[in-house]
């Protein structure tokens, strides 16, 4: 039986990825650069595969290194969660969190389950509203933390995930072939709506907005029933949807950036703990669609499976 993996080596491995270099990782884990290099050699020997490869003067993850990354993050998270469960000084109190309902549906089960296991004495109060409303709640002191769609206009938020923003229609209807496209969008201040309208206007596509709602459930219903086309982040795709692309006459949309906003709070330690859980949970959640594309970039985010044009979404 093989010996278990060394958590210190995995922590150093993740630090190299997160900081972008062996030198900065050595500072983060309080080791010398030679000690960090030795740890990685031993980890590669333990795995039996090379984890890094030279790319000019920089190191990049190999395919095997990229595979190890998600496992390493989960093992480190489980280690922290286990220690927290037996910590008599663990956090307690109440924290108020806000999120749009489409993010709540996809991400909150994972976030809440992990956080509750580590912090059973903390009560979560959750509200679901569109990002503009959440930003106002943060400013007014009504929320301790919000998971929002990042926008430079909304103020500072820490981006913790990127996803493609996609054109979607019903897989069972030819709604996208109509001469005047029926659209379902969020309210006029929704940044996804503005991005979609900009693309349609540049392409001189005829459209009319049939449904406006801050509810993701309403937008999803309009799409699945064949009444309208909309734009959704990949996390919000549902069974019965079809992704539209260039071949269908729909131009590329900007990525959706998901961020964390913090409010003024008397319990910053709880907010910090929840923010960390959110960041780590979102990093571990992938959308099981399509083929993996691209290569790892130390300055970017983990690879995700991307929705493809003309893809029919079968379910999670």
């Amino acid at each position: 039986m093989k010996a278990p993996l060394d958590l210190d080596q995995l922590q150093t491995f993740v630090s190299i990825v997160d900081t972008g270099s062996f030198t900065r990782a050595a500072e983060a884990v309080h080791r010398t650069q030679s000690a960090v290099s030795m740890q990685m050699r031993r980890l590669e020997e333990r795995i039996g595969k090379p984890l890094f490869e030279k790319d000019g003067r920089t190191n990049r993850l190999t395919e095997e290194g990229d595979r190890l990354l998600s496992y390493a993050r989960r093992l480190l998270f489980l280690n922290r969660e286990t220690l927290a469960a037996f910590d008599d000084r663990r956090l307690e109190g109440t924290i108020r969190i806000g999120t749009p309902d489409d993010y709540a549906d996809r991400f909150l089960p994972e976030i809440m389950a992990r956080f509750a296991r580590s912090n059973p004495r903390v009560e979560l109060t959750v509200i679901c509203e569109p990002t503009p409303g959440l930003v106002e709640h943060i400013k007014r002191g009504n929320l301790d933390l919000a998971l929002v769609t990042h926008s430079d206009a909304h103020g500072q938020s820490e981006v913790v995930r990127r996803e493609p923003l996609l054109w979607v229609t019903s897989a069972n209807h030819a709604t996208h072939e109509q001469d005047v496209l029926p659209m379902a969008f969020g309210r006029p201040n929704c940044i996804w709506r503005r991005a979609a309208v900009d693309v349609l206007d540049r392409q001189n596509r005829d459209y009319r907005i049939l449904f406006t709602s801050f509810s993701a459930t309403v937008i999803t219903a309009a799409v699945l029933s064949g009444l309208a086309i909309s734009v959704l982040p990949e996390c919000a795709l549902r069974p019965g949807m079809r992704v539209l692309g260039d071949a269908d006459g729909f131009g590329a949309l900007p990525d959706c950036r998901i961020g964390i906003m913090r409010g003024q709070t008397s319990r910053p330690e709880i907010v910090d703990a929840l923010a960390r859980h959110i960041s780590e949970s979102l990093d571990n959640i992938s959308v099981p669609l399509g083929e993996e594309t691209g290569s790892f970039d130390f300055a970017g985010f983990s690879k995700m499976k991307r929705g493809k044009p003309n893809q029919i979404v079968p379910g999670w």
Side-chain angles (χ1 to χ4, degrees):
M1 180 178 177
K2 291 185 176 181
L5 291 168
D6 187 305
L7 290 177
D8 284 339
Q9 293 175 0
L10 293 178
Q11 182 63 70
T12 300
F13 171 68
V14 171
S15 294
I16 293 170
V17 173
D18 288 343
T19 63
S21 76
F22 280 58
T23 301
R24 288 191 289 271
E27 296 174 358
V29 299
H30 307 291
R31 285 185 168 86
T32 64
Q33 188 170 343
S34 60
V36 166
S37 298
M38 176 61 73
Q39 280 190 305
M40 291 305 94
R41 284 197 293 271
R42 288 176 178 171
L43 182 58
E44 288 180 327
E45 291 171 0
R46 184 69 192 81
I47 295 295
K49 302 286 185 181
L51 302 176
F52 298 95
E53 59 187 359
K54 282 289 186 181
D55 182 14
R57 295 184 177 180
T58 63
N59 288 287
R60 297 179 65 86
L61 284 181
T62 62
E63 183 178 350
E64 291 79 9
D66 192 52
R67 288 175 56 199
L68 177 63
L69 180 60
S70 62
Y71 288 109
R73 292 193 191 278
R74 280 182 282 174
L75 286 168
L76 292 170
F77 185 91
L78 183 59
N79 178 66
R80 289 193 294 271
E81 187 175 82
T82 302
L83 293 174
F86 293 92
D87 186 356
D88 291 334
R89 300 166 299 172
R90 54 190 167 182
L91 301 172
E92 57 182 289
T94 301
I95 185 170
R96 303 162 300 172
I97 176 176
T99 179
D101 57 353
D102 38 15
Y103 296 164
D105 185 46
R106 182 68 180 114
F107 299 137
L108 267 193
E110 176 81 5
I111 293 168
M112 294 175 68
R114 289 185 173 217
F115 187 75
R117 285 195 298 267
S118 296
N119 303 277
R121 299 176 184 174
V122 176
E123 176 187 345
L124 289 178
T125 299
V126 183
I127 69 167
C128 291
E129 286 191 21
T131 290
L134 297 176
V135 172
E136 287 303 311
H137 280 307
I138 287 286
K139 291 178 179 178
R140 294 173 183 173
N142 298 330
L143 287 175
D144 301 302
L145 184 147
L147 188 64
V148 300
T149 301
H150 178 85
S151 169
D152 296 334
H154 289 153
Q156 295 296 320
S157 69
E158 174 193 355
V159 176
V160 292
R161 186 176 175 95
R162 291 178 186 268
E163 291 195 356
L165 187 61
L166 303 169
W167 297 99
V168 291
T169 188
S170 167
N172 301 312
H173 301 82
T175 313
H176 61 289
E177 296 178 359
Q178 296 184 27
D179 292 334
V180 180
L181 301 172
M183 308 301 301
F185 289 137
R187 293 182 176 180
N189 59 352
C190 172
I191 63 173
W192 300 343
R193 172 174 174 157
R194 293 200 298 266
V197 167
D198 286 346
V199 172
L200 293 173
D201 288 343
R202 287 199 303 270
Q203 293 184 314
N204 294 318
R205 298 294 301 271
D206 289 330
Y207 65 91
R208 65 183 185 277
I209 299 175
L210 288 186
F211 301 96
T212 296
S213 175
F214 64 80
S215 169
T217 301
V218 172
I219 300 299
T220 297
V223 170
L224 291 176
S225 63
L227 295 175
I229 299 165
S230 190
V231 291
L232 294 173
E234 196 167 46
C235 67
L237 295 179
R238 293 292 179 268
M241 289 183 178
R242 174 185 172 186
V243 178
L244 301 169
D246 288 336
D248 305 294
F250 292 84
L253 294 161
D255 277 354
C256 167
R257 295 177 292 171
I258 302 173
I260 293 174
M261 291 191 74
R262 301 170 187 247
Q264 297 295 323
T265 177
S266 60
R267 299 301 305 274
E269 69 280 5
I270 301 180
V271 173
D272 290 343
L274 180 56
R276 184 171 65 251
H277 273 75
I278 291 174
S279 180
E280 292 176 344
S281 295
L282 295 192
D283 189 64
N284 287 327
I285 295 174
S286 61
V287 181
L289 298 168
E291 299 296 327
E292 293 185 354
T293 59
S295 59
F296 184 82
D297 179 356
F298 281 124
F301 293 79
S302 298
K303 292 190 300 183
M304 294 185 293
K305 297 186 177 185
R306 314 278 286 195
K308 291 181 175 181
N310 294 320
Q311 181 175 34
I312 307 299
V313 184
W316 300 117

